[in-house]
Amino acid sequence: MTTSPPAAAVDFEGIDFAFDDTPELHEILAGLRAAKPYAVVPFAGVRAVLLLTHELVSAAFKDEETFPASAVYPLTTGPVLGRTLQCMTGREHRVNRAIASPPFRRSRVQEYIDPVLAPLAHELIDGFAGRGEAELVAEFTSRYPVLVISRLLGLPPEDERTVRRWANDLFHFPFEPAKALAASREFTGYIIPALRRRRTDPGDDLISLLVTESAEGERLTDEQVLSFLRLLFPAGADTTMLALANTLTALLAHPDQLELVRSDPDEHLRWAVWEGLRWEPPVGLLPRACPRATTWRGIDIPARTPMIFSINAALRDPAVYPEPHRFDLTRRETAMLAFGQGPHVCVGTWLALAELNTALRILLDRLPGLELKQGTENEARIRSQVGVALRGPGVLPVRWMK
Ligand code: HEM
């Protein structure tokens, strides 16, 4: 493996990987990966190491010692979300994660489909089904995952509009910090009374489960519950909303694949979901850091170098996925890397998969002949959202047969 120290030179100039969107992102990543498995690139004006292969990204996620999540999240999300799971390590992380995880286990999540996930998808579609056309990001994908979380938390339906505004403001923290901090304060003030009520009179909602569960003899403090609840919006809703829109974009751009799913949803839909996550993972370029100077897998990395785990390059690595740029749900590969790996692997993987499968099944069933409106291909293209880490379309103007 090549061993050029990041201090020496950058391998790519022209875009800053912290800020700049480009329609050619996948081509740029593929070109860099063809030269070597990592690249040194500009990131917020400094040099960062961009990991590009499936092997390196997977190994880096598992190496919490060299690339601790706690070196990044307290700075990037700490001020607005608090000390979340992503900021924790060791025993503190283990205990908090053990308490927060049970409601998101695979078997538990199945119990949410009939009472929560399916009725909610129908409810949103009822709002536009008779019209024959809609803008699916505004009317469905950006609303569904936030409302799922709101309902799992047991919040009253009349508060959902406000909860959506807070979720949206928290999402835009890097560029609108004042709004995000205000949303964080308002959400905290709103949720504390509900939290206190659940401590004395628990029900079967998510907040009750968080306050009654224990691990290693410990329960969560109010602040630990609150930081987990704040994290649920950016980590759980925004990612799923982009995943839903990306898979829809992929299916609409590949009518043969859409037809295949329609021909037998029981057989093909879950593979379309996995292939959507592989083809365009919502968390595309995940920022981390390397606090101490090291030589890792032959790469010399100076102390405090920003790292970028390119999940999107790893999931199009030709060493693992033949013809990687092709959206092909018959490849039947799970794209687990889309959810990270190692100690901080996504807590909500099964919930996200259940939401994606349920929402897509109901959308395709209720909107026959669904297609992108002609002439909107450029407008609806997948782009970077809030910096470049997250990727999804800004709009999805569609029509169908009434
Ligand atoms: C398609 C949708 C989703 C994707 C692509 C996704 C992706 C990820 C990734 C890549 C990480 C690891 C971050 C890192 O290592 O720095 C992560 C962590 C996390 N995700 Fe998700 N996620 C999704 C949905 C959800 C949902 C629905 C929830 C709701 C419970 C959730 C909750 C979390 C939490 C709490 C963490 C932090 C875990 C820890 O630090 O121990 N995610 N997710």
Side-chain angles (χ1 to χ4, degrees):
M1 193 181 288
T2 328
T3 59
S4 66
V10 289
D11 294 308
F12 186 81
E13 277 180 286
I15 64 169
D16 185 303
F17 277 76
F19 305 123
D20 299 335
D21 186 24
T22 164
E24 287 88 40
L25 181 64
H26 285 291
E27 288 77 0
I28 292 170
L29 295 172
L32 289 170
R33 192 188 43 229
K36 58 185 171 54
Y38 72 95
V40 179
V41 296
F43 182 86
V46 298
R47 292 178 172 84
V49 173
L50 174 71
L51 301 179
L52 293 158
T53 61
H54 196 282
E55 189 189 340
L56 284 190
V57 173
S58 171
F61 264 123
K62 291 174 191 153
D63 191 344
E64 176 75 350
E65 200 44 42
T66 312
F67 309 116
S70 58
V72 166
Y73 286 107
L75 303 172
T76 54
T77 63
V80 66
L81 302 182
R83 189 170 169 77
T84 65
L85 274 182
Q86 298 184 308
C87 303
M88 299 175 189
T89 50
R91 182 170 189 277
E92 184 190 19
H93 180 250
R94 206 172 60 236
V95 168
N96 274 262
R97 220 184 129 102
I99 294 177
S101 298
F104 302 104
R105 289 211 182 104
R106 189 179 190 176
S107 53
R108 187 75 199 229
V109 160
Q110 296 312 305
E111 295 169 18
Y112 305 147
I113 295 175
D114 288 342
V116 181
L117 305 194
L120 188 53
H122 281 294
E123 202 179 301
L124 291 178
I125 297 169
D126 286 345
F128 56 77
R131 216 192 299 148
E133 59 172 43
E135 198 285 89
L136 282 185
V137 169
E139 298 187 72
F140 192 87
T141 61
S142 68
R143 304 180 67 180
Y144 182 70
V146 184
L147 294 178
V148 166
I149 289 182
S150 184
R151 295 210 180 165
L152 291 180
L153 294 177
L155 306 181
E158 62 271 20
D159 295 342
E160 283 175 350
R161 187 182 284 270
T162 316
V163 173
R164 276 185 53 217
R165 179 170 60 76
W166 288 328
N168 183 62
D169 290 352
L170 288 174
F171 183 44
H172 291 95
F173 170 60
F175 295 99
E176 293 190 68
K179 251 176 143 179
L181 286 164
S184 175
R185 272 195 308 273
E186 284 174 33
F187 174 71
T188 305
Y190 165 84
I191 208 79
I192 283 177
L195 175 62
R196 300 264 154 82
R197 272 198 307 278
R198 262 68 157 203
R199 282 219 189 269
T200 48
D201 183 19
D204 58 1
D205 59 90
L206 190 51
I207 303 178
S208 300
L209 296 174
L210 289 168
V211 297
T212 50
E213 189 77 36
S214 63
E216 300 185 31
E218 282 186 36
R219 284 188 200 277
L220 296 187
T221 63
D222 278 1
E223 182 45 35
Q224 286 170 329
V225 175
L226 289 169
S227 61
F228 183 76
L229 296 179
R230 290 185 211 108
L231 174 63
L232 276 183
F233 292 104
D238 300 324
T239 46
T240 312
M241 126 189 146
L242 297 171
L244 193 51
N246 289 349
T247 303
L248 277 166
T249 304
L251 288 170
L252 294 171
H254 299 84
D256 59 319
Q257 300 283 300
L258 179 55
E259 205 35 57
L260 190 60
V261 175
R262 282 196 186 283
S263 71
D264 190 350
D266 287 341
E267 180 67 20
H268 298 296
L269 185 62
R270 70 204 150 104
W271 294 112
V273 166
W274 279 119
E275 179 65 351
L277 286 164
R278 184 198 71 80
W279 188 73
E280 194 64 68
V283 186
L285 296 160
L286 186 89
R288 271 285 210 280
C290 182
R292 285 176 300 278
T294 186
T295 300
W296 185 81
R297 302 207 159 209
I299 314 171
D300 292 331
I301 311 176
R304 294 183 295 283
T305 297
M307 303 291 302
I308 311 168
F309 297 177
S310 180
I311 298 176
N312 46 8
L315 287 171
R316 290 196 186 196
D317 183 347
V320 181
Y321 307 100
E323 289 190 72
H325 299 296
R326 205 151 66 87
F327 177 79
D328 176 6
L329 57 94
T330 65
R331 68 173 79 234
R332 304 206 155 192
E333 293 274 3
T334 58
M336 289 311 283
L337 210 51
F339 294 102
Q341 284 187 336
H344 291 278
V345 66
C346 182
V347 167
T349 302
W350 294 111
L351 176 60
L353 292 171
E355 286 183 49
L356 293 168
N357 277 289
T358 307
L360 285 168
R361 181 183 289 267
I362 296 172
L363 277 169
L364 295 183
D365 187 46
R366 295 203 47 196
L367 310 178
L370 185 70
E371 61 180 13
L372 204 59
K373 274 195 196 164
Q374 264 182 5
T376 63
E377 293 74 10
N378 187 42
E379 214 189 322
R381 88 176 162 78
I382 290 171
R383 56 190 76 229
S384 300
Q385 309 259 346
V386 193
V388 293
L390 301 171
R391 309 251 312 151
V395 291
L396 270 179
V398 293
R399 63 178 185 200
W400 60 91
M401 290 179 292
K402 279 200 278 177

